Amino acid sequence: MRASRCLIWPLSLLHICLTVIATSYEQFDEDLVLTPLPDGKVSAAFTFTTLLYGAAPRDPHTLNSPDESQHYTLFPLALGQLLREHAVTELHLALNAGNWNYARWGSPPDPAVGTGGELWAWMGTEGPTSIDARWRGLRNSLAGLFCASLGALDAVRTTAPAAAFPPEGALPSWRGAHDNGTTTSGAHEIRHASLPAEHVCTENLTPFLKLLPCKAQSGLAALLNPHRLFGADWHGLGVHVRWVADAGVEVRLSFQGVFDPLRAPGARGKSDWSLHSLFDRTVSRSCPVATTSAIRVALPNSDSYSLVPEPASAAGGVAVYDVHTAAKPLNVALSYPNTFNYPSSYASNSTPFSVKRTLTGTSQAWGRLSVRITNHRSEEMHVLYLETMPWLLQFHLHTLTARVDGVLDDTAISHLTYTPAIAHARPTMLQAVVRLPPRATVQLSMDVAKAFLRYTEHPPDAQRGWDLPPAVLVPVNVSSPLGQTGVRGAGAFVPTGPRVYTSTLLVDLATPDFSMPYNVIIFTCTLVAGIFGTVFNTLTRRWVIVRVKA
Amino acid sequence: MLLAPIFQLLLWLSSWAWVSTASAVYEDAARGFFERHASSAGGSGSTHTNNWAVLVCSSRYWFNYRHMANALGMYRTVKRLGIPDSNIILMLADDASCNSRNKFPGSVYANPARQPDLYGDNIEVDYRGYEVTVENFIRVLTGRMDPSVPRSKRLLSDERSNVFVYMTGHGGNEFLKFQDNEEISAFDIADAFEQMYQKRRYNELLFMIDTCQANTMYSKLYSPHILAAGSSNLGESSYSHVNDNDIGVAVIDAFTHYVLEFMEKINKTSQVSMQELFNSFDATKLHSTPGVRSDLFKRPLDKARITDFFGGVAQVEIISLDSATISPEATSPTNDTEPLQLRPNVMPLAAKAQNMSDTVTTQTWLAQLNGKEWKTVRAWVSLAIIGALASWVASRK
Amino acid sequence: MPSTSSSSSPSTPSPDLPATLHDPKSPFYQQVSLRRAIIASYWTIILLAVPLWWYTTSIERLALPSGRVQQLAQHSLELPVSICVEGPRIPFIDKIQVQLSKQISQDPQRWKGIAPRLFGSTDCEKSSGNKVYSVKFTSTTGTSIHHRQLHFPPNTAPSTIVEVLSSLLVPYSSSRDSKHRIVQYAPHYRLAFSLLNEDAAAGDVVKDWNIQAELRNYINPITRRLGALHNFTVESQVQFHAPLAFPPRPLDHSWGITPADLTVFVNSAEWTLSSSSSNDPVLHFILFIPSAERRPLVILTDTEGTVSPSSAFLVPQWGGIVIHNPTSISSSGTLPDHDVSTVFAAFATQFQSLLGVAALPRGVHAPEGLSAWQLDALTRRRTLENAQGSQDTLASIVKLVDQIENMPVGADVRDDVEDALAALQDMRDAAPVSLAQAFARSATALGLASRAFFNPGMLALLYFPAEHTYAVYTPLFASALIPLVVAALREFMAWKRERREAALMKAAP
């Protein structure tokens, strides 16, 4: 570092002057929503929101000068440092395990339910460091913070699907003149990557809890018992940072899980649950710095159930407990008089449409990718179908066909955007708007070619295969294709509903016999050694006449 | 035929050169030996101020549960004895606790009684899954990392750090297998430790390894201030200790089990020495011969405490709140300077010596050749053989 | 294989051969010249392939300037210090000089690298452009310092003068404690101030503190003064649950921490002292508020229970901790300003001692803040440390590259080493002229040497045993080379024989 010493004094004065004076107001809220699901399971969604009033994301133009000092009380310092270091405007990280069953469980509280790790961020494009360099720094810092292998989300897995992942907060414009007279446009771009094979375990939860003001000692976070959370049928933790324009920077840490009370040892066929039976813990102390701390229980539709203790309020089918005022230890319990009856069919209008994606074919050289989307509504709708596929699976786009209820219909697909893959360098990104006629099933299918990997690219457990990231479907409104300000790329549609993720796929690529290189060397050398002598002798043989005495 | 005498001359020359380099090799080895010990004579007893631990489980798959339990057992021990998470680099090649095969999610146990839970509620795994590679391991030790690697994945030790390196997995004669598709050899580890020594990244280093034929892994070390312990000799396997019928696989290895059992008696302020730990190794219980290499370690083993390597006790100084003058009152409860003892060679361990095979470097000049001289010798020998062969062929009619 | 030594048969066939049988020598492929050409072409390809093999299997190992690096080790840096003694006569100055030399010879380790020179008042102008320290004997209020001047009362003994001078110029004793406490040099530091509530849920929680004002009052003056040495980034956080790893010992009406507990006070497992997203070293300053159930919490000096007057302590090379038992907290949970001031005074002291700012000797009065003497002493110490560190690192690089043959050395490593050597040379040139310049160059050299040493491209190739390579390739190369060698030799000898016979035939009539 060749920092010029003569600039230190004015810079340190500048640093003092830039010390933020405002915004000592921070607010922390926590929330737990418990929803009984139709198949007897219980969905628990924890949300911890910290709002830093008056703050704004860092302008990437200021990355070369020292940052203002950060002083937080409730806002997590580790996350704040990371966001300012890489000048990130909006950040979303989700680490999930399991498959979210949309048919039985409906829409998840937080839509990011793709299996494995998923990370996307909106960052300003201009500035001394490129957005890709900052994306790399962000991934590595998050990998260090959350003990996840996010460093592996490199260019081979990164795409920029701006339409399917619009910014959830506002994007600052940073308009106006900057230091040396240049004007900034405040353009932002998205970077998205997913790692479907990522495991989630206690080492991801430990740093997550350390970001909370009350950690796991008091308040609702005390319920997060890793031994129960990671035995759930589905669980996922999420970190969402966004900028709310007239408020400040909001960090929302969420943990969702789907628990099965029928699996508990003492269930005896009844789907009763309580905080103790789900988490093996109860809320014994409330978090003193939480402005609101509430447990909401969605009341089941059946007539007979009993909910103890008495909630503070029960309106619109939701019972609310205020943890600050409730009697401690607080153990919310819902019990039914009768044993649980599995419904014979699940209401198919829990989500407006359902999707199933499969990879068919028995060959290790090609296959067929097939997506079936069923519209449960009685009016026509459009969905944006996003497929980000690693280069291992190459699409033959000319074979993309759409069938509506079995009938070939080319008008079902429109607004196709396709970024082909570059082998070993970039994934494929396919975006299309699919028209779903009312109560119809649209089947998209396409031939794919499976790549033949280099010997060094196989993972250590190559026989398992490769996980493919989920496809994302977003219901959109095509009649008004407005582009959002600050978002690059034409064809951005306004989403009218939450994202739906398909399941991940496992593709089996041809694996070599990994002991072959040594065998090949030996074999080739032996063969060549054997043949060499013969060839050489043939070429240089000298024929003479030998007289044999009769 | 002029060629036959020429080749015989060549043979004679090569053998003469071999002998002379060999004797030069002996002198070099002797000089190097004294140089190494002379340079370390200026050092004093344990003067470390912080502790680091690098714990590596290099095996993948569910049936290697015991290797992950080994590494986690060591992790819990060093954490209990005071080394903070920021000073521990834990590398686990697979996920055992949240594996879908694990009947007890979020937990890893090392005994059928399932006490204690090694995974616990508070754990940080720095390298996991595919990130546990030979390259990453060597980068951690040598510090040669890309600038974007976060702080929690770096070994930021300095010359006053005691470093504890523990490796477990499947191994063989001078190699250790990483994730079933690559290996690290004893030479690579020796070179990595030498680079650490040159950049003064450790004060003293304890290298403990629990694999099959583990003692061969420390046979190539050559940097000073290293103490090494392995679980089995050349040609022996290290065995697992106990199975858990509900988990379905073996849950701990014997060597690590007995080490952890010994460690249960140690707390942060205990004065138990490393000698006692090594004395507790029992080859009959382990079904393999554990070994210790202490010739590179300058302090006597009975003066080296277990907490020097496994514990992380800090020294504090109370200062007064009077801002005008600072009057530091050093309160150092432990770690006083030890009397210097120069021991140029390893002493045979007392008691139970017959149970341990100490890899004392023998005095024969052949064994004192290090890599470079051995290569020269080899080159001359091969030249002599080729010369002999060619002269035989040419001299035939 | 029967020997193919040919009888000297001419190209004409023997008469008893049938006409259909050609002389073996006649077809084009039996020509001697063709055979020799074939053998020569094999050898040509092998000889051309050897450099290609060498090129494709070699590791890039550029030459490092090892000669210059070794030369460095012989020269040690000397920082000259000019002291101008005003007022007294030459014999007095000589007495001071004698005392000074005695001091230096008694403790050479302490004075290593510093070369003090005394000048009389007449020679003061001759001293170099470096900042000059002046000693005056005009004080009426005892010994005091002001900028770079040292005021003594008249008639001070030379030994006292020399003692005060030594403790101002080289205040660092070579004791282990001071070496262990002071942090290693780094150009950039993060100062992390944390307010830790042991247990907020127990009540009486401190939610906020007026840190910005206190930073301005106490810490910013120090960071400003030390701005030439380090850059600082300041950050702060408040934690609400920071449990202790041990139960404090209950005394009557208070709880105590024994010295043994103090060593394990920092509970890194539970406390979120965030490691920063950058790789700069961090100095932690912790204000610990015990739980409302265990107040007041005091430090004990020994196991019997003597309470220490101080509630602050330092963890060497890590940071400082102050334990504060609040008597009153405002309703909004803010700590009163007076309390925060006291705490920050302690932080400032800890900060200074961690960075290596030495205390002034007793009895010397100084105005508030860091004096130039202390700053210069620290700069000199850092310069010498950095110079030594750079030299050691460069020597290690050279030694390692020699020792480990598989280690690649790229152009960036070589450039960094060259630049570090150039910076060290500049440092030597600047040393007699300007201390600040010398320090800056030494810091640059240290940074470059470290960057060269920790270059990620210098990862030695994994050990690939030569035995395996030979074992794999010997069947191929040995069985290929031997026929080639033998055939070439045979052709050569045949050629020689032909020439000899041709010469004989020419000589014979």
Side-chain angles (χ1 to χ4, degrees):
Chain A
M1 286 211 301
R2 296 178 185 270
S4 159
R5 295 293 156 198
C6 56
L7 277 182
I8 291 308
W9 278 48
L11 273 183
S12 48
L13 283 176
L14 188 69
H15 141 77
I16 295 163
C17 297
L18 284 180
T19 302
V20 175
I21 306 164
T23 182
S24 56
Y25 183 27
E26 300 173 32
Q27 183 175 327
F28 174 67
D29 299 288
E30 55 181 19
D31 196 90
L32 166 61
V33 178
L34 293 157
T35 315
L37 298 171
D39 60 350
K41 302 195 168 71
V42 178
S43 147
F46 292 82
T47 313
F48 305 97
T49 315
T50 311
L51 186 54
L52 184 63
Y53 279 98
R58 188 172 178 191
D59 187 350
H61 281 262
T62 61
L63 277 173
N64 269 346
S65 39
D67 193 17
E68 53 200 36
S69 42
Q70 303 168 57
H71 301 282
Y72 304 125
T73 53
L74 299 172
F75 195 84
L77 179 61
L79 206 54
Q81 283 170 347
L82 206 140
L83 294 169
R84 295 197 73 83
E85 174 92 13
H86 305 291
V88 177
T89 301
E90 194 168 304
L91 169 75
H92 300 273
L93 170 67
L95 288 169
N96 306 319
N99 253 328
W100 184 272
N101 192 335
Y102 285 94
R104 295 191 182 184
W105 302 341
S107 277
D110 182 2
V113 294
T115 311
E118 190 183 13
L119 172 68
W120 74 98
W122 282 92
M123 294 188 275
T125 49
E126 297 159 358
T129 22
S130 74
I131 185 175
D132 288 312
R134 277 184 282 130
W135 167 246
R136 182 157 176 258
L138 175 68
R139 277 188 341 245
N140 284 314
S141 306
L142 281 174
L145 180 60
F146 285 103
C147 296
S149 318
L150 300 175
L153 296 172
D154 51 8
V156 181
R157 295 183 186 270
T158 306
T159 53
F165 294 91
E168 289 177 20
L171 297 177
S173 54
W174 296 318
R175 285 192 193 278
H178 246 280
D179 0 40
N180 41 7
T182 54
T183 51
T184 61
S185 64
H188 281 76
E189 268 185 27
I190 183 178
R191 290 288 181 268
H192 175 280
S194 72
L195 199 58
E198 185 71 3
H199 290 184
V200 189
C201 205
T202 316
E203 65 261 20
N204 305 115
L205 187 67
T206 307
F208 177 88
L209 290 175
K210 287 191 178 165
L211 295 179
L212 298 172
C214 286
K215 303 211 189 104
Q217 313 279 342
S218 61
L220 292 175
L223 293 173
L224 292 173
N225 178 3
H227 304 279
R228 290 305 182 93
L229 296 177
F230 296 115
D233 286 23
W234 186 94
H235 56 88
L237 55 88
V239 177
H240 305 275
V241 179
R242 64 179 185 154
W243 182 55
V244 182
D246 47 3
V249 174
E250 179 196 78
V251 168
R252 181 168 57 89
L253 298 164
S254 69
F255 191 95
Q256 313 176 76
V258 173
F259 300 86
D260 194 357
L262 288 159
R263 249 203 295 144
R268 282 190 290 272
K270 297 175 76 178
S271 66
D272 301 344
W273 55 265
S274 68
L275 288 183
H276 187 83
S277 77
L278 291 178
F279 303 110
D280 204 23
R281 291 186 188 170
T282 55
V283 183
S284 50
R285 304 192 296 182
S286 71
C287 181
V289 291
T291 314
T292 62
S293 176
I295 299 182
R296 282 173 235 275
V297 181
L299 299 170
N301 290 332
S302 69
D303 306 323
S304 53
Y305 58 86
S306 102
L307 181 65
V308 292
E310 199 58 38
S313 72
V318 177
V320 181
Y321 293 85
D322 181 13
V323 179
H324 286 305
T325 54
K328 314 277 197 313
L330 176 61
N331 184 16
V332 176
L334 183 70
S335 52
Y336 302 87
N338 310 314
T339 59
F340 180 70
N341 282 327
Y342 282 93
S344 51
S345 69
Y346 293 91
S348 59
N349 54 1
S350 50
T351 45
F353 62 93
S354 60
V355 60
K356 186 172 169 64
R357 182 178 74 153
T358 48
L359 187 66
T360 58
T362 52
S363 160
Q364 281 186 330
W366 58 82
R368 202 161 173 82
L369 184 70
S370 151
V371 180
R372 296 172 69 91
I373 315 172
T374 307
N375 188 355
H376 300 300
R377 295 253 175 88
S378 51
E379 47 296 324
E380 182 178 89
M381 62 186 298
H382 290 84
V383 288
L384 176 71
Y385 164 60
L386 170 74
E387 188 80 71
T388 59
M389 191 62 74
W391 66 271
L392 319 159
L393 220 61
Q394 285 139 8
F395 294 165
H396 290 283
L397 200 58
H398 68 285
T399 59
L400 178 63
T401 55
R403 287 173 196 273
V404 177
D405 286 334
V407 177
L408 211 59
D409 182 358
D410 281 336
T411 62
I413 306 178
S414 60
H415 298 94
L416 187 69
T417 313
Y418 179 64
T419 311
I422 298 178
H424 312 287
R426 189 179 75 186
T428 313
M429 190 176 78
L430 171 69
Q431 251 177 218
V433 174
V434 181
R435 179 177 60 85
L436 304 175
R439 300 217 184 274
T441 302
V442 176
Q443 181 175 6
L444 308 171
S445 64
M446 179 165 45
D447 283 346
V448 295
K450 299 182 189 177
F452 195 69
L453 295 178
R454 292 174 183 162
Y455 171 79
T456 48
E457 282 174 345
H458 287 278
D461 52 350
Q463 294 79 6
R464 184 173 175 270
W466 289 79
D467 288 284
L468 302 174
V472 176
L473 285 96
V474 188
V476 291
N477 186 355
V478 277
S479 53
S480 55
L482 301 168
Q484 292 185 308
T485 51
V487 172
R488 264 211 217 152
F493 296 92
V494 180
T496 56
R499 287 189 298 275
V500 172
Y501 287 78
T502 65
S503 57
T504 56
L505 294 173
L506 193 63
V507 67
D508 188 21
L509 298 178
T511 55
D513 174 0
F514 289 98
S515 66
M516 276 316 278
Y518 188 71
N519 299 345
V520 163
I521 293 173
I522 302 263
F523 184 66
T524 314
C525 288
T526 311
L527 197 66
V528 170
I531 292 179
F532 182 86
T534 315
V535 169
F536 184 72
N537 281 337
T538 313
L539 284 176
T540 54
R541 196 184 302 277
R542 192 165 30 172
W543 297 97
V544 293
I545 296 179
V546 174
R547 290 176 184 285
V548 177
K549 292 260 180 335
Chain B
M1 286 276 283
L2 214 51
L3 293 173
I6 289 180
F7 281 120
Q8 284 164 14
L9 181 67
L10 193 61
L11 224 119
W12 181 80
L13 275 173
S14 57
S15 48
W16 170 81
W18 178 25
V19 169
S20 64
T21 46
S23 54
V25 154
Y26 181 30
E27 286 170 24
D28 282 339
R31 195 180 330 123
F33 176 83
F34 285 114
E35 262 173 31
R36 272 200 306 261
H37 290 265
S39 63
S40 63
S44 52
S46 165
T47 54
H48 70 282
T49 57
N50 54 61
N51 285 74
W52 285 79
V54 179
L55 310 169
V56 180
C57 159
S58 62
S59 322
R60 169 176 277 274
Y61 303 124
W62 178 247
F63 53 84
N64 291 320
Y65 183 101
R66 63 188 187 281
H67 295 147
M68 286 172 259
N70 289 349
L72 286 167
M74 283 296 176
Y75 173 78
R76 285 291 156 206
T77 302
V78 297
K79 222 170 145 176
R80 175 176 64 86
L81 293 176
I83 303 186
D85 261 319
S86 52
N87 286 19
I88 303 177
I89 308 248
L90 178 62
M91 303 172 92
L92 294 180
D94 200 359
D95 183 18
S97 89
C98 291
N99 198 316
S100 38
R101 282 178 158 125
N102 192 355
K103 195 173 167 195
F104 310 99
S107 311
V108 170
Y109 299 111
N111 48 49
R114 292 187 214 115
Q115 293 292 334
D117 174 18
L118 297 178
Y119 221 69
D121 291 348
N122 194 325
I123 182 171
E124 282 181 24
V125 181
D126 300 298
Y127 288 84
R128 59 180 205 165
Y130 297 142
E131 294 173 333
V132 179
T133 59
V134 173
E135 181 188 338
N136 280 348
F137 176 63
I138 298 198
R139 283 192 191 274
V140 164
L141 288 182
T142 56
R144 295 182 205 279
M145 296 188 157
D146 202 76
S148 61
V149 171
R151 187 194 209 95
S152 58
K153 290 187 170 178
R154 288 175 185 255
L155 180 65
L156 298 169
S157 57
D158 54 34
E159 59 192 341
R160 288 193 280 266
S161 310
N162 276 7
V163 182
F164 170 47
V165 180
Y166 175 80
M167 302 183 76
T168 180
H170 288 290
N173 187 1
E174 292 178 6
F175 72 89
L176 172 68
K177 210 165 57 151
F178 263 68
Q179 297 214 44
D180 237 9
N181 76 339
E182 50 179 1
E183 329 175 321
I184 188 172
S185 75
F187 296 90
D188 298 318
I189 296 187
D191 282 342
F193 286 166
E194 174 67 9
Q195 293 184 50
M196 286 176 79
Y197 172 65
Q198 288 295 333
K199 194 53 173 83
R200 290 201 287 267
R201 278 161 70 79
Y202 68 88
N203 176 39
E204 286 171 345
L205 197 143
L206 172 66
F207 178 59
M208 189 180 275
I209 178 159
D210 185 357
T211 66
C212 302
Q213 304 186 56
N215 296 355
T216 56
M217 284 299 281
Y218 61 65
S219 55
K220 300 290 180 230
L221 301 178
Y222 55 92
S223 315
H225 306 297
I226 298 185
L227 180 61
S231 60
S232 53
N233 252 345
L234 175 65
E236 291 176 355
S237 300
S238 288
Y239 295 95
S240 66
H241 182 69
V242 68
N243 286 358
D244 181 331
N245 290 332
D246 284 325
I247 292 178
V249 287
V251 291
I252 193 85
D253 272 335
F255 178 74
T256 308
H257 169 83
Y258 287 109
V259 170
L260 292 176
E261 201 178 61
F262 186 88
M263 291 296 175
E264 276 168 26
K265 306 190 295 261
I266 313 288
N267 59 18
K268 289 184 193 185
T269 50
S270 106
Q271 311 276 319
V272 178
S273 71
M274 294 296 293
Q275 182 72 66
E276 292 177 40
L277 171 65
F278 297 146
N279 288 350
S280 75
F281 293 164
D282 185 356
T284 46
K285 279 201 260 180
L286 292 172
H287 305 290
S288 62
T289 321
V292 175
R293 181 173 178 185
S294 52
D295 59 320
L296 298 167
F297 192 67
K298 301 300 173 286
R299 288 193 294 147
L301 287 178
D302 48 359
K303 293 289 191 301
R305 276 185 280 255
I306 294 202
T307 49
D308 285 347
F309 294 105
F310 288 86
V313 175
Q315 297 171 339
V316 298
E317 297 177 18
I318 303 181
I319 60 169
S320 73
L321 284 175
D322 181 8
S323 55
T325 56
I326 309 171
S327 49
E329 298 171 60
T331 62
S332 50
T334 58
N335 297 340
D336 290 323
T337 36
E338 311 297 339
L340 184 62
Q341 296 195 21
L342 283 172
R343 301 273 189 102
N345 219 337
V346 69
M347 306 295 275
L349 296 170
K352 297 202 182 172
Q354 68 277 13
N355 288 342
M356 281 198 264
S357 66
D358 207 5
T359 55
V360 179
T361 52
T362 59
Q363 287 296 321
T364 59
W365 60 268
L366 204 59
Q368 277 191 341
L369 300 172
N370 60 11
K372 234 190 185 142
E373 283 91 31
W374 193 231
K375 280 190 190 143
T376 326
V377 166
R378 225 172 26 202
W380 280 111
V381 169
S382 24
L383 188 63
I385 290 176
I386 289 177
L389 194 64
S391 72
W392 175 74
V393 168
S395 58
R396 279 190 36 157
K397 273 288 177 210
Chain C
M1 189 159 91
S3 159
T4 53
S5 60
S6 62
S7 47
S8 52
S9 55
S11 38
T12 54
S14 272
D16 47 354
L17 278 179
T20 48
L21 195 63
H22 292 280
D23 182 5
K25 284 221 180 63
S26 52
F28 73 96
Y29 50 82
Q30 288 284 313
Q31 297 297 326
V32 175
S33 56
L34 185 65
R35 194 181 319 122
R36 288 187 186 154
I38 288 174
I39 294 176
S41 64
Y42 267 97
W43 275 103
T44 313
I45 288 177
I46 288 177
L47 291 174
L48 284 179
V50 165
L52 186 71
W53 163 77
W54 184 260
Y55 177 71
T56 49
T57 55
S58 63
I59 318 168
E60 183 193 25
R61 278 170 67 94
L62 300 173
L64 292 175
S66 40
R68 280 161 60 196
V69 170
Q70 273 151 13
Q71 233 181 12
L72 265 187
Q74 276 125 26
H75 305 289
S76 56
L77 181 64
E78 281 268 313
L79 293 171
V81 174
S82 310
I83 308 165
C84 178
V85 182
E86 294 178 12
R89 318 231 181 152
I90 304 288
F92 191 65
I93 295 182
D94 286 340
K95 272 194 247 170
I96 301 180
Q97 180 76 59
V98 161
Q99 285 276 341
L100 195 58
S101 314
K102 204 162 70 161
Q103 270 261 355
I104 295 177
S105 57
Q106 269 170 1
D107 201 352
Q109 193 61 31
R110 192 172 158 197
W111 285 86
K112 184 162 180 249
I114 315 277
R117 271 191 302 243
L118 289 172
F119 294 96
S121 39
T122 47
D123 298 331
C124 274
E125 295 80 34
K126 281 196 219 149
S127 56
S128 57
N130 212 345
K131 305 272 171 50
V132 174
Y133 300 94
S134 49
V135 176
K136 299 192 165 87
F137 293 90
T138 51
S139 166
T140 46
T141 52
T143 323
S144 67
I145 54 175
H146 181 67
H147 290 310
R148 287 194 174 83
Q149 295 163 2
L150 177 57
H151 297 271
F152 281 110
N155 303 328
T156 322
S159 52
T160 325
I161 297 174
V162 163
E163 231 181 81
V164 174
L165 264 181
S166 316
S167 47
L168 283 174
L169 290 175
V170 283
Y172 304 103
S173 63
S174 42
S175 76
R176 222 164 32 101
D177 289 339
S178 78
K179 254 197 290 196
H180 288 184
R181 185 194 326 131
I182 300 176
V183 292
Q184 309 264 33
Y185 174 76
H188 195 107
Y189 272 105
R190 296 185 91 102
L191 303 177
F193 293 90
S194 314
L195 189 150
L196 300 179
N197 285 288
E198 184 188 349
D199 191 4
D204 246 2
V205 63
V206 177
K207 293 187 193 167
D208 206 350
W209 53 340
N210 191 5
I211 185 174
Q212 311 250 18
E214 303 309 326
L215 283 174
R216 272 196 296 274
N217 294 337
Y218 287 97
I219 305 293
N220 286 345
I222 307 177
T223 59
R224 247 199 314 268
R225 284 292 273 170
L226 293 174
L229 289 175
H230 311 275
N231 282 336
F232 294 98
T233 308
V234 177
E235 56 204 19
S236 79
Q237 58 169 339
V238 177
Q239 296 280 319
F240 298 96
H241 287 278
L244 291 174
F246 57 90
R249 185 201 295 193
L251 310 167
D252 42 314
H253 308 301
S254 60
W255 280 262
I257 308 179
T258 58
D261 288 337
L262 263 189
T263 59
V264 297
F265 189 82
V266 177
N267 186 1
S268 310
E270 301 281 335
W271 296 0
T272 314
L273 301 169
S274 56
S275 53
S276 58
S277 54
S278 71
N279 287 317
D280 300 322
V282 186
L283 291 177
H284 297 93
F285 295 99
I286 294 182
L287 169 57
F288 188 80
I289 311 272
S291 152
E293 295 159 2
R294 289 210 284 244
R295 286 184 199 157
L297 189 64
V298 294
I299 300 180
L300 306 171
T301 46
D302 52 36
T303 42
E304 274 94 52
T306 335
V307 176
S308 157
S310 160
S311 64
F313 60 98
L314 199 80
V315 179
Q317 297 207 342
W318 185 86
I321 303 175
V322 176
I323 302 177
H324 181 74
N325 302 296
T327 43
S328 67
I329 305 173
S330 70
S331 56
S332 65
T334 316
L335 208 52
D337 285 352
H338 168 74
D339 292 353
V340 186
S341 279
T342 327
V343 166
F344 265 82
F347 280 159
T349 319
Q350 291 170 339
F351 180 39
Q352 281 189 353
S353 58
L354 280 172
L355 280 184
V357 175
L360 290 171
R362 286 188 195 280
V364 176
H365 306 291
E368 276 293 314
L370 273 179
S371 64
W373 293 82
Q374 288 167 306
L375 193 57
D376 285 349
L378 180 60
T379 312
R380 277 193 290 270
R381 181 202 164 102
R382 291 298 192 196
T383 311
L384 292 168
E385 272 179 4
N386 291 353
Q388 187 61 45
S390 319
Q391 282 176 8
D392 289 343
T393 308
L394 290 172
S396 312
I397 296 178
V398 168
K399 188 150 173 237
L400 264 183
V401 168
D402 279 338
Q403 210 168 22
I404 301 179
E405 282 157 10
N406 281 342
M407 185 178 288
V409 178
D412 43 2
V413 174
R414 188 205 43 199
D415 290 341
D416 279 345
V417 171
E418 300 266 356
D419 292 341
L421 285 170
L424 283 175
Q425 188 54 46
D426 287 345
M427 176 189 73
R428 273 182 217 293
D429 297 338
V433 173
S434 156
L435 180 62
Q437 284 245 342
F439 167 75
R441 301 278 175 275
S442 73
T444 316
L446 185 70
L448 286 170
S450 281
R451 199 171 73 174
F453 191 96
F454 287 120
N455 188 308
M458 267 172 85
L459 205 62
L461 292 185
L462 290 184
Y463 173 72
F464 200 69
E467 292 93 2
H468 291 194
T469 322
Y470 293 155
V472 168
Y473 287 116
T474 304
L476 172 69
F477 288 123
S479 61
L481 274 180
I482 290 188
L484 277 175
V485 168
V486 170
L489 270 176
R490 287 229 173 97
E491 282 306 312
F492 179 69
M493 279 164 24
W495 174 68
K496 288 283 295 260
R497 202 181 316 119
E498 270 176 32
R499 270 192 47 193
R500 210 181 328 134
E501 282 170 8
L504 273 174
M505 276 184 51
K506 240 203 299 196

